[in-house]
Amino acid sequence: MKRSWHPWLLISTALILGLVLAAGWVSTPSAGTLQEQGPFLPFVTHGEPQPPPAPLIVDHRAPLGFPDLPDFARLGARDTRLLVRHASVGENISDGLDCLGGAYPATPGCEAFTPGVYDRSNWDFQSRGNPGWQAKIDDLLAETAAHAADYDGFTMKFCYIDALGDASPDWETYRDAMLQLENDYPGQTFIWWTIPLTSGGNAGADRFNALVRAYARANGKILFDIADIEAYDPDGNYHTSPAGYEILYPAYTDDGGHLNWQGRIRVAQAFWVLAARLNGWVW
């Protein structure tokens, strides 16, 4: 027998549904809310396992995005706990981050930044020195094991002295160590790096950097491409040596390897964009 609805039941159902919607018990996200939260799920999930992301490559274009950081991404970046193990160029980057945070108002290029806006206090840049490329990889493995619960993301950078002339870190050793970390700690984020450049360039850095770039793009990794950032001047011109090697743009350095204030600020701006991208900002 065909079941029919009585008119009074239809009217009652409609009234109840209207009251539920009016009271906000059932809601649908608005376009504005989605925009405020970010257009996609963040890479950093603060301890929760996450699905494999698309590649996130932060390169020479990133400093251009720094002035456009929205508040939701800046605040998410600020609250993300990152451990960065490094040597002297890492100290240069940390100085640049302090500049953006308003710590050096008398330094040219730093005077425009208000203290408290770009707060990097949750980004723990730890000087590890230069014990050799293998020891640097081992150090990251050990530090992650010891402090897995203390940070949302882990990373380390090689130094330009690890890739002078034709020498470079062993790519497969670095790759396998990073993959081991990603497998062992699925709730944390791991950031891959290229090797910083010198103003003369060399084959070892170019070879290693080409491998990490290709792998990151093909396998959905997060890459802070410091070499690409260093090789481009503020006008977007790419700089190479007469032999065709990528070089550190000469105006970013005073000694051919370390970053001066112009270089520090530029790489620090790119690092802020990285942290914002980790928190769901698409630029």
Side-chain angles (χ1 to χ4, degrees):
M1 182 177 68
K2 183 178 180 181
R3 185 182 299 272
S4 62
W5 290 80
H6 291 287
W8 64 266
L9 185 57
L10 291 172
I11 293 170
S12 299
T13 302
L15 287 173
I16 293 171
L17 180 59
L19 289 172
V20 169
L21 291 173
W25 299 336
V26 176
S27 63
T28 56
S30 66
T33 301
L34 291 176
Q35 182 61 36
E36 290 166 5
Q37 293 174 348
F40 66 93
L41 292 175
F43 287 79
V44 175
T45 54
H46 303 281
E48 294 297 326
Q50 52 191 299
L56 193 169
I57 312 296
V58 175
D59 58 19
H60 71 277
R61 296 165 291 187
L64 299 176
F66 176 75
D68 299 327
L69 283 175
D71 283 344
F72 88 86
R74 178 178 58 81
L75 296 175
R78 179 200 66 185
D79 294 338
T80 300
R81 303 168 303 161
L82 298 175
L83 176 63
V84 182
R85 301 284 288 176
H86 65 85
S88 53
V89 173
E91 193 65 31
N92 296 160
I93 301 170
S94 185
D95 286 342
L97 292 170
D98 285 340
C99 161
L100 300 182
Y104 301 114
T107 299
C110 301
E111 65 278 356
F113 298 103
T114 303
V117 176
Y118 296 102
D119 176 7
R120 51 66 54 92
S121 57
N122 282 320
W123 305 347
D124 193 358
F125 274 64
Q126 296 181 355
S127 181
R128 165 219 54 216
N130 276 309
W133 66 260
Q134 180 67 67
K136 293 177 182 181
I137 294 173
D138 295 340
D139 175 83
L140 180 62
L141 293 169
E143 289 296 319
T144 303
H147 302 288
D150 300 329
Y151 299 95
D152 305 305
F154 293 83
T155 191
M156 74 90 176
K157 57 169 291 302
F158 292 115
C159 193
Y160 62 83
I161 67 170
D162 294 310
L164 296 177
D166 195 49
S168 66
D170 183 72
W171 155 245
E172 292 183 352
T173 301
Y174 174 68
R175 178 201 64 196
D176 292 349
M178 293 295 288
L179 293 176
Q180 176 186 332
L181 288 169
E182 292 174 346
N183 181 71
D184 292 347
Y185 305 94
Q188 273 70 33
T189 298
F190 293 92
I191 303 162
W192 303 51
W193 288 61
T194 50
I195 295 178
L197 304 174
T198 65
S199 57
N202 58 77
D206 274 22
R207 180 176 59 251
F208 182 92
N209 290 344
L211 289 168
V212 70
R213 285 167 180 156
Y215 190 84
R217 291 186 183 280
N219 294 277
K221 303 306 178 185
I222 301 166
L223 174 64
F224 189 69
D225 195 346
I226 187 173
D228 191 75
I229 298 164
E230 291 183 330
Y232 279 83
D233 64 33
D235 294 323
N237 300 306
Y238 178 61
H239 293 265
T240 60
S241 72
Y245 302 135
E246 276 189 324
I247 64 170
L248 171 59
Y249 174 51
Y252 294 157
T253 182
D254 296 328
D255 64 6
H258 296 96
L259 297 168
N260 60 22
W261 277 106
Q262 183 178 358
R264 294 172 193 178
I265 292 169
R266 190 160 186 82
V267 178
Q269 289 174 331
F271 199 88
W272 261 101
V273 170
L274 167 69
R277 292 289 310 280
L278 292 175
N279 281 275
W281 182 46
V282 175
W283 171 75

